[in-house]
């Protein structure tokens, strides 16, 4: 058994669920930061309130094409997806600000089939807000939220049936390609035969375009990247000075992924009391903070083998920047 961490800055009484989330975070941060040669941090910890806000800002940057491209694809095709799957329940993983979900809810409402909405989201404040906003705007539906991450907590969605599951924004790119098989298998387990799973997939493209999307001129992505250190400071009592680190993001053409890192600008030694770790870095040493994997139709479809899911439709924009993949549970 892990002893629960002692944290000095406690703002409110923590629930058992929050205690559990903190214990998980401690274990993951300790495992990641002690990894060599390249220490890493799980990218889900970007998303405290400030991080979620910074990501919202990223989605509006001229260089960051995924959000507006996916929005256009869904605006054009949500109704036909709803017709193909004819769901009574809409479920979403990592719902975030929850704008794109409305294309589907509106189409379901128009067909008088909207019965329930289920959101799984890591940021509890965001989740509460989304649930209450959706409940107000779609009073005919039963709206529920579950706090959790889309890898370990998928099972919390419960058994499927007349379900359309959404996993938008290209967030699937945060999984290592080797994790996709098990992830699809777990997703298939919360779907009944005939249920739909719509996945947003960022596509392999001109490396310069990818590079620009993760190295924006205004430096919002850099601030978003460094924010993960503030999250460790706030939740684990860590002593990071974010200005000791610079943002780095590059495209690895062989692996077909964007990698984000934080590079130490000077020698640093940071104590993280709650995780019982002291991180020592030399100038130039890096911490990996995110993978954002890019796919082609072929490389994506290859990961579906023996998962219980088949690729039914592949919808893209005219420039082939982004795809919405409609998967069907067999
Ligand atoms: C939310 C995972 C889709 O990978 O593009 C944006 C996160 N990171 N800029 C992505 C992100 C840096 C984003 N996802």
């Amino acid at each position: 058994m892990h002893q629960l961490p002692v944290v000095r800055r406690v703002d409110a009484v923590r629930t058992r669920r929050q205690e559990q989330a903190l214990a998980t975070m401690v274990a993951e941060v300790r495992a990641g930061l002690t990894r060599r040669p390249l220490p890493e941090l799980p990218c889900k910890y970007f998303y405290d309130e400030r991080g979620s806000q910074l990501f919202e800002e990223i989605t509006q940057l001229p260089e960051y094409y995924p959000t507006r491209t996916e929005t256009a694809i869904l605006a054009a095709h949500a109704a036909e997806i709803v017709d193909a799957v004819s769901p009574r329940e809409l479920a979403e993983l990592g719902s975030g600000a929850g704008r794109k979900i409305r294309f589907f809810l509106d189409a379901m409402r128009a067909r008088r089939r909207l019965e329930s909405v289920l959101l799984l989201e890591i940021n509890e404040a965001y989740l509460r807000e989304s649930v209450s906003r959706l409940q107000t705007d779609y009073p005919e539906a039963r709206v529920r939220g579950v706090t959790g991450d889309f890898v370990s907590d998928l099972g919390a969605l419960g058994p499927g049936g007349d379900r359309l599951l959404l996993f938008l924004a290209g967030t699937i790119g945060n999984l290592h390609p080797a994790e996709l098989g098990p992830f699809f298998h777990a997703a298939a387990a919360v779907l009944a035969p005939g249920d739909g799973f719509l996945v947003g997939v960022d596509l392999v493209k001109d490396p310069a375009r990818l590079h620009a999307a993760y190295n924006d001129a205004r430096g919002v992505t850099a601030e978003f990247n460094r924010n993960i250190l503030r999250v460790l400071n706030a939740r684990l009592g860590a002593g990071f000075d974010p200005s000791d680190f610079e943002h780095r993001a590059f495209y690895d053409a062989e692996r077909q992924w964007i990698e984000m890192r934080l590079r130490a600008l000077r020698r640093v030694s940071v104590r993280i009391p709650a995780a019982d770790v002291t991180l020592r870095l030399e100038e130039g040493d890096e911490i990996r903070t995110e993978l954002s994997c890019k796919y082609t139709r072929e490389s994506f479809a290859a990961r579906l083998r023996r998962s219980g899911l088949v690729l039914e439709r592949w919808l893209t924009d005219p420039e082939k920047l982004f795809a919405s993949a409609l998967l069907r549970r067999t």
Side-chain angles (χ1 to χ4, degrees):
M1 268 294 282
H2 263 142
Q3 220 186 303
L4 282 174
V6 179
V7 180
R8 254 177 286 131
R9 294 179 56 247
V10 181
D11 300 316
V13 177
R14 282 198 298 270
T15 63
R16 192 185 296 167
R17 183 156 42 76
Q18 287 167 322
E19 296 276 6
Q20 187 53 53
L22 191 58
T24 301
M25 182 181 188
V26 162
E28 289 172 338
V29 166
R30 185 194 286 130
L33 289 182
T34 54
R35 189 159 300 172
R36 293 296 178 274
L38 185 61
E40 55 185 48
L41 287 168
C43 62
K44 63 182 171 184
Y45 297 122
F46 281 132
Y47 301 94
D48 67 343
E49 202 180 326
R50 183 167 181 272
S52 298
Q53 241 158 39
L54 285 165
F55 177 65
E56 269 299 294
E57 258 182 75
I58 288 173
T59 65
Q60 283 149 46
L61 293 168
E63 300 95 329
Y64 194 76
Y65 59 84
T67 311
R68 74 180 66 90
T69 308
E70 184 182 46
T71 301
I73 295 170
L74 299 182
H77 297 285
E80 79 183 59
I81 292 166
V82 165
D83 281 333
V85 178
S86 56
R88 295 180 186 281
E89 178 180 82
L90 192 65
E92 186 174 25
L93 308 178
S95 58
R99 247 173 259 113
K100 289 172 277 197
I101 192 177
R102 289 169 182 261
F103 295 126
F104 296 91
L105 295 174
D106 292 344
M108 289 167 72
R109 163 179 280 175
R111 288 154 184 76
R112 308 201 174 282
R113 289 184 64 89
L114 178 57
E115 289 178 11
S116 94
V117 182
L118 187 49
L119 307 177
L120 180 80
E121 160 64 44
I122 184 115
N123 183 322
E124 192 168 339
Y126 248 55
L127 179 67
R128 283 180 195 286
E129 214 181 290
S130 306
V131 167
S132 90
R133 252 186 297 123
L134 291 178
Q135 188 65 82
T136 304
D137 295 349
Y138 299 90
E140 73 269 44
R142 171 165 177 247
V143 184
R144 288 171 298 154
V146 185
T147 329
D149 93 66
F150 54 76
V151 178
S152 47
D153 304 317
L154 248 184
L157 295 181
D162 292 325
R163 176 178 281 168
L164 172 59
L165 177 61
L166 307 179
F167 191 29
L168 306 181
T171 304
I172 198 165
N174 285 160
L175 297 176
H176 189 283
E179 295 176 297
L180 250 53
F183 171 72
F184 285 135
H185 195 82
V190 296
L191 297 171
D195 285 0
F197 185 18
L198 188 76
V199 183
V201 186
D202 196 16
L203 301 178
V204 171
K205 61 180 62 64
D206 175 14
R209 185 98 194 236
L210 284 166
H211 188 270
Y214 294 85
N215 291 278
D216 65 278
R218 279 182 44 210
V220 183
T221 308
E223 214 37 54
F224 172 74
N225 195 3
R226 279 189 290 264
N227 186 63
I228 202 168
L229 302 177
R230 294 176 195 267
V231 173
L232 298 198
N233 288 350
R235 294 208 198 140
L236 305 181
F240 284 103
D241 179 346
S243 69
D244 284 340
F245 292 84
E246 71 178 356
H247 165 72
R248 201 161 99 77
F250 62 93
Y251 183 59
D252 183 331
E254 197 181 315
R255 296 178 148 136
Q256 305 192 318
W257 68 40
I258 285 276
E259 208 170 312
M260 291 218 307
R261 298 183 179 188
L262 288 166
R263 178 195 267 156
L265 291 167
R266 49 197 72 88
R267 167 184 287 190
V268 292
S269 172
V270 182
R271 179 82 192 138
I272 306 162
D276 194 25
V277 169
T278 302
L279 177 69
R280 292 190 179 82
L281 299 172
E282 297 299 320
E283 179 185 335
D285 284 352
E286 296 178 325
I287 304 169
R288 181 157 82 185
T289 51
E290 187 176 39
L291 287 185
S292 188
C293 301
K294 310 307 172 190
Y295 291 92
T296 61
R297 182 180 179 145
E298 293 67 35
S299 67
F300 184 78
R303 300 287 170 183
L304 289 169
R305 270 176 220 141
R306 288 187 308 269
S307 67
L309 298 166
V310 291
L311 179 58
E312 188 167 289
R313 283 181 210 198
W314 181 263
L315 306 161
T316 59
D317 57 292
E319 287 185 276
K320 294 200 162 44
L321 298 175
F322 196 93
S324 297
L326 178 59
L327 315 181
R328 182 81 78 150
R329 172 79 159 90
T330 55

